[in-house]
Amino acid sequence: RGLSHEDLTVGGHTAGKPVDRSRAPAIRDCWYGAALSRRQHAGQAMWGLGDQALSSLTNFALSIVVARNVSVGEFGAFTLAFATYTVLLTICRALTSEPLVMRYSLAGRAAWRSATAVATGVSLTVGVTSGVVLVAPGALVDDSIGLSLIVLGLALPGLPVQDAWRYAFFTA
């Protein structure tokens, strides 16, 4: 039986009734488990924060390296491809990674594995489909924008899968 409003006491009494002290160890263990859970969640949050900081830093560094080494037009093509990638990744996360984190972070190992497999499969499907959709028009355009779309299209099958695994490891 879980905790109920009867488990909350003021001055040793609950709604005018004496507290059943025989349940005290169960209540103590429940609170100890909650403390462990909070500690585990804090650790996961720190890993998530660190991972997001590293991801943002590497994206920023990539933009600086590209900006310093290409022409203005080529940087515009890179920016267009990167913005397209960001939008597609956001859509993929909404379909796969966020539901995985919300529903399976406290699930058992078997349920987590199954959900991770589904999230990975959907991410791969979104990546392959998006890649094909980007490579086709990229092949028709004969400039840096076309090349950027082709490169993004070829990389897309792997990028959403890597992102889904990243989220899956945070829920493990």
Side-chain angles (χ1 to χ4, degrees), residues 54-132:
L54 182 63
S55 177
S56 296
L57 183 64
T58 56
N59 288 341
F60 183 65
L62 174 66
S63 296
I64 289 174
V65 168
V66 172
R68 294 179 64 81
N69 291 300
V70 299
S71 69
V72 172
E74 291 168 333
F75 184 67
F78 164 79
T79 303
L80 191 66
F82 195 77
T84 303
Y85 162 69
T86 303
V87 168
L88 290 172
L89 189 61
T90 301
I91 292 168
C92 193
R93 281 180 183 169
L95 293 173
T96 62
S97 302
E98 297 296 334
L100 178 68
V101 170
M102 296 302 292
R103 291 186 180 176
Y104 294 96
S105 60
L106 297 177
R109 186 58 98 191
W112 174 83
R113 284 180 188 259
S114 176
T116 299
V118 170
T120 302
V122 172
S123 294
L124 182 62
T125 302
V126 169
V128 168
T129 304
S130 301
V132 169

Coordinates of all heavy atoms in Angstrom, one line a residue, residues 54-132:
L54 N 27.9 20.6 -23.8 CA 28.9 20.1 -24.7 C 28.3 20.2 -26.2 O 29.0 20.6 -27.1 CB 29.3 18.7 -24.4 CG 30.4 18.1 -25.3 CD1 31.7 18.9 -25.2 CD2 30.7 16.6 -24.9
S55 N 27.1 19.7 -26.3 CA 26.5 19.8 -27.7 C 26.4 21.2 -28.2 O 26.7 21.5 -29.4 CB 25.1 19.1 -27.6 OG 24.4 19.2 -28.8
S56 N 26.0 22.1 -27.4 CA 25.8 23.5 -27.8 C 27.2 24.1 -28.1 O 27.4 24.8 -29.1 CB 25.2 24.4 -26.7 OG 23.8 23.9 -26.5
L57 N 28.2 23.8 -27.3 CA 29.6 24.3 -27.5 C 30.1 23.8 -28.8 O 30.7 24.5 -29.6 CB 30.5 23.9 -26.3 CG 31.9 24.4 -26.4 CD1 31.9 25.9 -26.3 CD2 32.7 23.8 -25.2
T58 N 29.9 22.5 -29.1 CA 30.5 21.9 -30.4 C 29.7 22.5 -31.6 O 30.4 22.8 -32.6 CB 30.4 20.4 -30.4 OG1 29.1 20.0 -30.1 CG2 31.4 19.8 -29.3
N59 N 28.4 22.7 -31.4 CA 27.7 23.4 -32.5 C 28.2 24.8 -32.8 O 28.3 25.2 -33.9 CB 26.2 23.4 -32.3 CG 25.6 22.0 -32.3 OD1 26.1 21.1 -32.9 ND2 24.4 21.8 -31.7
F60 N 28.4 25.5 -31.7 CA 28.9 26.9 -31.8 C 30.3 26.9 -32.5 O 30.6 27.7 -33.4 CB 29.0 27.5 -30.5 CG 29.4 29.0 -30.5 CD1 28.7 29.9 -31.1 CD2 30.6 29.3 -29.9 CE1 29.1 31.3 -31.1 CE2 31.0 30.7 -29.9 CZ 30.3 31.6 -30.5
A61 N 31.2 25.9 -32.0 CA 32.5 25.8 -32.5 C 32.5 25.5 -34.0 O 33.3 26.0 -34.8 CB 33.3 24.8 -31.8
L62 N 31.6 24.6 -34.4 CA 31.5 24.2 -35.8 C 31.1 25.4 -36.7 O 31.7 25.7 -37.7 CB 30.4 23.1 -36.0 CG 30.1 22.7 -37.4 CD1 31.3 22.1 -38.1 CD2 28.9 21.8 -37.4
S63 N 30.2 26.2 -36.2 CA 29.8 27.4 -36.9 C 30.9 28.4 -37.1 O 31.1 29.0 -38.1 CB 28.6 28.1 -36.2 OG 27.5 27.3 -36.2
I64 N 31.7 28.6 -36.0 CA 32.9 29.5 -36.1 C 33.9 29.0 -37.1 O 34.4 29.7 -37.9 CB 33.5 29.7 -34.7 CG1 32.6 30.5 -33.8 CG2 34.9 30.3 -34.8 CD1 33.0 30.6 -32.4
V65 N 34.2 27.7 -37.1 CA 35.2 27.1 -38.0 C 34.7 27.2 -39.4 O 35.5 27.7 -40.3 CB 35.5 25.6 -37.6 CG1 36.2 24.9 -38.7 CG2 36.2 25.5 -36.3
V66 N 33.4 26.9 -39.7 CA 32.9 27.1 -41.0 C 32.9 28.6 -41.5 O 33.4 28.9 -42.6 CB 31.5 26.5 -41.1 CG1 30.9 26.8 -42.5 CG2 31.5 25.0 -40.9
A67 N 32.5 29.5 -40.6 CA 32.5 30.9 -40.9 C 33.8 31.4 -41.3 O 34.0 32.3 -42.2 CB 31.8 31.7 -39.8
R68 N 34.9 30.9 -40.6 CA 36.2 31.5 -40.8 C 36.9 30.9 -42.1 O 37.9 31.4 -42.6 CB 37.1 31.2 -39.6 CG 36.6 32.0 -38.4 CD 37.5 31.7 -37.2 NE 38.9 32.1 -37.3 CZ 39.3 33.3 -37.1 NH1 38.5 34.3 -36.8 NH2 40.6 33.6 -37.2
N69 N 36.3 29.8 -42.6 CA 37.0 29.1 -43.7 C 36.2 29.1 -45.0 O 36.7 28.5 -46.0 CB 37.3 27.6 -43.3 CG 38.4 27.6 -42.2 OD1 39.5 28.1 -42.4 ND2 38.0 27.1 -41.1
V70 N 35.1 29.6 -45.1 CA 34.3 29.6 -46.4 C 33.9 31.0 -46.7 O 33.9 31.9 -45.9 CB 33.1 28.7 -46.3 CG1 33.5 27.2 -46.0 CG2 32.1 29.1 -45.2
S71 N 33.4 31.2 -47.9 CA 32.8 32.5 -48.4 C 31.5 32.8 -47.7 O 30.9 31.9 -47.1 CB 32.7 32.5 -49.9 OG 31.6 31.6 -50.2
V72 N 31.0 34.0 -47.9 CA 29.8 34.4 -47.3 C 28.6 33.6 -47.8 O 27.7 33.1 -47.1 CB 29.5 35.9 -47.5 CG1 28.1 36.3 -47.0 CG2 30.5 36.7 -46.8
G73 N 28.6 33.3 -49.1 CA 27.6 32.5 -49.8 C 27.6 31.1 -49.3 O 26.5 30.5 -49.0
E74 N 28.8 30.5 -49.1 CA 28.9 29.1 -48.6 C 28.5 29.0 -47.2 O 27.9 28.1 -46.8 CB 30.4 28.6 -48.8 CG 30.7 28.4 -50.3 CD 32.2 28.2 -50.5 OE1 33.0 28.7 -49.6 OE2 32.6 27.6 -51.4
F75 N 28.8 30.1 -46.4 CA 28.4 30.1 -45.0 C 26.8 30.2 -44.9 O 26.2 29.5 -44.1 CB 29.0 31.2 -44.2 CG 28.6 31.2 -42.7 CD1 29.1 30.2 -41.9 CD2 27.8 32.2 -42.2 CE1 28.7 30.1 -40.6 CE2 27.5 32.1 -40.8 CZ 27.9 31.1 -40.0
G76 N 26.2 30.9 -45.8 CA 24.8 31.0 -45.9 C 24.2 29.6 -46.2 O 23.2 29.2 -45.6
A77 N 24.8 28.9 -47.1 CA 24.4 27.5 -47.5 C 24.5 26.6 -46.3 O 23.6 25.8 -46.0 CB 25.1 27.0 -48.6
F78 N 25.6 26.7 -45.6 CA 25.8 25.9 -44.3 C 24.7 26.3 -43.3 O 24.1 25.4 -42.7 CB 27.2 26.2 -43.7 CG 27.3 25.7 -42.3 CD1 27.5 24.4 -42.0 CD2 27.2 26.6 -41.3 CE1 27.6 24.0 -40.7 CE2 27.3 26.2 -39.9 CZ 27.5 24.9 -39.7
T79 N 24.4 27.5 -43.1 CA 23.4 28.0 -42.2 C 22.1 27.4 -42.5 O 21.3 27.0 -41.6 CB 23.4 29.5 -42.1 OG1 24.7 30.0 -41.7 CG2 22.4 30.0 -41.0
L80 N 21.7 27.4 -43.8 CA 20.5 26.9 -44.2 C 20.4 25.4 -44.0 O 19.4 24.9 -43.4 CB 20.3 27.2 -45.7 CG 18.9 26.9 -46.3 CD1 17.9 27.9 -45.8 CD2 19.0 27.1 -47.8
A81 N 21.5 24.7 -44.2 CA 21.5 23.2 -44.0 C 21.4 23.0 -42.5 O 20.7 22.1 -42.0 CB 22.7 22.6 -44.6
F82 N 22.1 23.7 -41.7 CA 22.1 23.5 -40.2 C 20.8 23.9 -39.6 O 20.3 23.2 -38.7 CB 23.2 24.4 -39.6 CG 23.5 24.0 -38.2 CD1 24.3 22.8 -37.9 CD2 23.0 24.7 -37.1 CE1 24.6 22.4 -36.6 CE2 23.3 24.3 -35.8 CZ 24.1 23.1 -35.6
A83 N 20.1 24.9 -40.1 CA 18.8 25.2 -39.6 C 17.8 24.1 -40.0 O 16.9 23.7 -39.2 CB 18.3 26.6 -40.2
T84 N 17.9 23.6 -41.2 CA 17.1 22.4 -41.6 C 17.3 21.2 -40.7 O 16.3 20.6 -40.3 CB 17.4 22.1 -43.1 OG1 17.2 23.2 -43.9 CG2 16.5 20.9 -43.6
Y85 N 18.6 21.0 -40.4 CA 18.9 19.9 -39.5 C 18.3 20.1 -38.1 O 17.7 19.2 -37.5 CB 20.4 19.7 -39.4 CG 20.9 18.9 -38.2 CD1 20.6 17.6 -38.1 CD2 21.5 19.5 -37.1 CE1 21.0 16.8 -37.0 CE2 21.9 18.8 -36.0 CZ 21.7 17.4 -36.0 OH 22.1 16.7 -34.9
T86 N 18.4 21.3 -37.6 CA 17.8 21.6 -36.3 C 16.3 21.4 -36.3 O 15.8 20.8 -35.3 CB 18.2 23.1 -35.9 OG1 19.6 23.2 -35.9 CG2 17.7 23.4 -34.5
V87 N 15.6 21.9 -37.3 CA 14.2 21.7 -37.4 C 13.8 20.2 -37.4 O 12.9 19.7 -36.7 CB 13.6 22.4 -38.6 CG1 12.1 22.0 -38.8 CG2 13.7 23.9 -38.3
L88 N 14.5 19.4 -38.3 CA 14.2 18.0 -38.4 C 14.5 17.3 -37.1 O 13.8 16.4 -36.7 CB 15.0 17.4 -39.6 CG 14.6 17.8 -41.0 CD1 15.5 17.4 -42.0 CD2 13.2 17.3 -41.2
L89 N 15.6 17.6 -36.4 CA 16.0 17.0 -35.2 C 14.9 17.3 -34.1 O 14.6 16.4 -33.3 CB 17.4 17.5 -34.7 CG 17.9 16.7 -33.5 CD1 18.1 15.2 -33.8 CD2 19.2 17.3 -33.1
T90 N 14.4 18.5 -34.1 CA 13.4 18.9 -33.1 C 12.1 18.1 -33.4 O 11.5 17.6 -32.4 CB 13.0 20.4 -33.2 OG1 14.2 21.1 -33.0 CG2 12.0 20.8 -32.3
I91 N 11.7 17.9 -34.6 CA 10.6 17.0 -35.0 C 10.8 15.6 -34.5 O 9.9 15.0 -33.9 CB 10.3 17.1 -36.5 CG1 9.7 18.5 -36.8 CG2 9.2 16.1 -36.9 CD1 9.7 18.8 -38.3
C92 N 12.0 15.1 -34.8 CA 12.3 13.7 -34.5 C 12.3 13.5 -32.9 O 11.8 12.5 -32.4 CB 13.7 13.3 -35.1 SG 14.0 11.6 -35.0
R93 N 12.9 14.5 -32.2 CA 12.8 14.4 -30.8 C 11.4 14.4 -30.2 O 11.1 13.7 -29.3 CB 13.6 15.6 -30.1 CG 15.1 15.4 -30.2 CD 15.7 16.6 -29.5 NE 17.2 16.5 -29.6 CZ 18.0 17.5 -29.3 NH1 17.6 18.6 -28.9 NH2 19.3 17.3 -29.4
A94 N 10.6 15.2 -30.8 CA 9.2 15.2 -30.3 C 8.5 13.9 -30.6 O 7.6 13.5 -29.8 CB 8.4 16.4 -31.1
L95 N 8.8 13.2 -31.6 CA 8.2 11.9 -32.0 C 8.8 10.8 -31.2 O 8.1 9.8 -30.9 CB 8.4 11.6 -33.5 CG 7.6 12.5 -34.4 CD1 8.0 12.2 -35.9 CD2 6.1 12.3 -34.2
T96 N 10.1 10.9 -30.8 CA 10.8 9.7 -30.2 C 11.4 9.9 -28.9 O 11.1 9.3 -27.9 CB 11.9 9.2 -31.2 OG1 12.9 10.2 -31.4 CG2 11.3 8.8 -32.6
S97 N 12.3 10.9 -28.8 CA 13.2 11.0 -27.6 C 12.4 11.5 -26.4 O 12.6 11.0 -25.3 CB 14.4 11.9 -27.9 OG 15.1 11.4 -29.0
E98 N 11.6 12.5 -26.6 CA 10.8 13.1 -25.5 C 9.9 12.1 -24.9 O 9.8 12.0 -23.7 CB 10.2 14.4 -25.9 CG 11.1 15.5 -26.3 CD 12.0 16.0 -25.1 OE1 11.6 15.8 -24.0 OE2 13.1 16.5 -25.4
P99 N 9.1 11.4 -25.7 CA 8.2 10.4 -25.2 C 9.0 9.3 -24.4 O 8.5 8.8 -23.4 CB 7.4 9.8 -26.4 CG 7.5 10.9 -27.4 CD 8.8 11.6 -27.2
L100 N 10.2 8.9 -25.0 CA 11.0 7.9 -24.3 C 11.4 8.4 -22.9 O 11.3 7.6 -21.9 CB 12.2 7.6 -25.2 CG 13.2 6.6 -24.6 CD1 12.6 5.2 -24.6 CD2 14.5 6.6 -25.4
V101 N 11.8 9.6 -22.8 CA 12.3 10.1 -21.5 C 11.1 10.2 -20.5 O 11.2 9.8 -19.4 CB 13.0 11.5 -21.7 CG1 13.2 12.2 -20.3 CG2 14.3 11.3 -22.4
M102 N 10.0 10.7 -21.0 CA 8.8 10.9 -20.2 C 8.2 9.6 -19.7 O 7.7 9.6 -18.6 CB 7.8 11.8 -20.9 CG 8.2 13.2 -21.2 SD 8.8 14.1 -19.8 CE 7.2 14.4 -18.9
R103 N 8.1 8.7 -20.5 CA 7.4 7.4 -20.2 C 8.2 6.3 -19.7 O 7.7 5.5 -18.9 CB 6.6 6.9 -21.4 CG 5.5 7.8 -21.8 CD 4.7 7.2 -23.0 NE 3.6 8.1 -23.3 CZ 2.8 7.8 -24.3 NH1 3.0 6.8 -25.1 NH2 1.9 8.7 -24.6
Y104 N 9.5 6.3 -20.0 CA 10.3 5.1 -19.7 C 11.5 5.3 -18.8 O 12.3 4.4 -18.6 CB 10.7 4.4 -21.0 CG 9.5 3.9 -21.7 CD1 8.9 4.6 -22.7 CD2 8.9 2.6 -21.4 CE1 7.8 4.1 -23.4 CE2 7.8 2.2 -22.0 CZ 7.3 2.9 -23.1 OH 6.2 2.5 -23.7
S105 N 11.6 6.5 -18.2 CA 12.8 6.8 -17.4 C 12.8 6.0 -16.1 O 13.8 5.7 -15.5 CB 13.0 8.3 -17.1 OG 11.8 8.8 -16.4
L106 N 11.6 5.6 -15.6 CA 11.5 4.8 -14.4 C 11.0 3.4 -14.7 O 10.7 2.6 -13.8 CB 10.6 5.5 -13.4 CG 11.0 6.9 -12.9 CD1 10.0 7.5 -12.0 CD2 12.4 6.7 -12.2
A107 N 10.9 3.0 -16.0 CA 10.3 1.7 -16.3 C 11.4 0.6 -16.1 O 12.6 0.9 -15.9 CB 9.9 1.7 -17.8
G108 N 10.9 -0.6 -16.1 CA 11.8 -1.7 -16.0 C 12.7 -1.9 -17.2 O 12.5 -1.2 -18.2
R109 N 13.8 -2.7 -17.1 CA 14.8 -2.9 -18.1 C 14.2 -3.4 -19.4 O 14.5 -2.9 -20.5 CB 15.9 -3.8 -17.6 CG 17.0 -4.0 -18.5 CD 17.7 -2.7 -18.8 NE 18.9 -2.5 -18.0 CZ 19.5 -1.3 -17.9 NH1 19.1 -0.3 -18.6 NH2 20.6 -1.2 -17.2
A110 N 13.3 -4.3 -19.3 CA 12.7 -4.9 -20.6 C 11.8 -3.8 -21.3 O 11.9 -3.7 -22.5 CB 11.8 -6.1 -20.2
A111 N 11.0 -3.1 -20.6 CA 10.2 -2.0 -21.2 C 11.1 -0.9 -21.8 O 10.8 -0.4 -22.9 CB 9.2 -1.4 -20.1
W112 N 12.2 -0.6 -21.1 CA 13.1 0.4 -21.6 C 13.7 0.0 -22.9 O 13.8 0.8 -23.8 CB 14.1 0.7 -20.5 CG 15.2 1.7 -21.0 CD1 15.1 3.0 -21.0 CD2 16.5 1.3 -21.5 NE1 16.3 3.6 -21.5 CE2 17.1 2.5 -21.8 CE3 17.1 0.1 -21.7 CZ2 18.4 2.6 -22.4 CZ3 18.4 0.2 -22.3 CH2 19.0 1.4 -22.6
R113 N 14.2 -1.3 -22.9 CA 14.8 -1.8 -24.1 C 13.9 -1.8 -25.3 O 14.2 -1.4 -26.4 CB 15.3 -3.2 -23.9 CG 16.6 -3.3 -23.1 CD 17.0 -4.8 -22.9 NE 18.1 -4.9 -22.0 CZ 19.4 -5.1 -22.4 NH1 19.6 -5.1 -23.7 NH2 20.3 -5.2 -21.5
S114 N 12.6 -2.2 -25.1 CA 11.6 -2.2 -26.1 C 11.4 -0.8 -26.6 O 11.3 -0.5 -27.8 CB 10.4 -2.9 -25.6 OG 9.4 -2.8 -26.6
A115 N 11.2 0.2 -25.7 CA 10.9 1.5 -26.1 C 12.1 2.2 -26.8 O 11.9 3.0 -27.7 CB 10.5 2.4 -24.8
T116 N 13.3 1.9 -26.3 CA 14.5 2.4 -27.0 C 14.6 1.9 -28.4 O 15.0 2.6 -29.3 CB 15.7 2.0 -26.2 OG1 15.6 2.6 -24.9 CG2 17.0 2.5 -26.8
A117 N 14.3 0.6 -28.6 CA 14.3 0.0 -30.0 C 13.3 0.7 -30.9 O 13.6 1.0 -32.0 CB 14.0 -1.5 -29.9
V118 N 12.1 1.0 -30.4 CA 11.1 1.7 -31.2 C 11.6 3.1 -31.5 O 11.5 3.6 -32.6 CB 9.7 1.7 -30.4 CG1 8.7 2.6 -31.1 CG2 9.2 0.3 -30.4
A119 N 12.1 3.8 -30.5 CA 12.5 5.2 -30.7 C 13.7 5.2 -31.7 O 13.7 6.1 -32.6 CB 13.0 5.8 -29.3
T120 N 14.6 4.2 -31.6 CA 15.7 4.2 -32.6 C 15.2 3.9 -34.0 O 15.6 4.5 -34.9 CB 16.7 3.1 -32.1 OG1 17.2 3.4 -30.8 CG2 17.9 3.0 -33.1
G121 N 14.2 3.0 -34.1 CA 13.7 2.7 -35.4 C 12.9 3.8 -36.0 O 13.1 4.1 -37.2
V122 N 12.1 4.5 -35.2 CA 11.4 5.7 -35.7 C 12.4 6.8 -36.1 O 12.3 7.5 -37.2 CB 10.4 6.2 -34.7 CG1 9.8 7.5 -35.2 CG2 9.3 5.2 -34.5
S123 N 13.5 7.0 -35.3 CA 14.5 8.0 -35.6 C 15.2 7.7 -36.9 O 15.5 8.6 -37.8 CB 15.5 8.1 -34.5 OG 14.9 8.6 -33.3
L124 N 15.5 6.4 -37.1 CA 16.1 6.0 -38.4 C 15.2 6.2 -39.6 O 15.6 6.7 -40.6 CB 16.5 4.5 -38.3 CG 17.3 3.9 -39.5 CD1 18.6 4.7 -39.8 CD2 17.5 2.5 -39.4
T125 N 13.9 5.9 -39.4 CA 13.0 6.1 -40.5 C 12.8 7.6 -40.8 O 12.8 8.0 -42.0 CB 11.6 5.6 -40.1 OG1 11.7 4.2 -39.8 CG2 10.6 5.8 -41.1
V126 N 12.7 8.4 -39.8 CA 12.7 9.9 -40.0 C 14.0 10.4 -40.7 O 13.9 11.2 -41.7 CB 12.4 10.7 -38.7 CG1 12.6 12.2 -38.9 CG2 11.1 10.4 -38.2
G127 N 15.1 9.9 -40.3 CA 16.4 10.3 -40.9 C 16.5 9.9 -42.3 O 16.9 10.7 -43.2
V128 N 16.2 8.6 -42.6 CA 16.3 8.1 -44.0 C 15.3 8.9 -44.9 O 15.7 9.4 -46.0 CB 16.0 6.6 -44.1 CG1 15.8 6.2 -45.5 CG2 17.2 5.9 -43.4
T129 N 14.1 9.0 -44.4 CA 13.0 9.8 -45.2 C 13.5 11.2 -45.5 O 13.4 11.7 -46.6 CB 11.7 9.7 -44.5 OG1 11.3 8.4 -44.3 CG2 10.6 10.4 -45.4
S130 N 13.9 11.9 -44.4 CA 14.3 13.3 -44.6 C 15.6 13.4 -45.5 O 15.7 14.3 -46.3 CB 14.7 13.9 -43.2 OG 13.6 13.8 -42.4
G131 N 16.5 12.4 -45.3 CA 17.7 12.4 -46.2 C 17.3 12.3 -47.7 O 17.9 13.0 -48.5
V132 N 16.4 11.4 -48.0 CA 16.0 11.2 -49.4 C 15.3 12.5 -49.9 O 15.6 13.0 -51.0 CB 15.1 10.0 -49.5 CG1 14.4 10.0 -50.9 CG2 15.8 8.7 -49.3

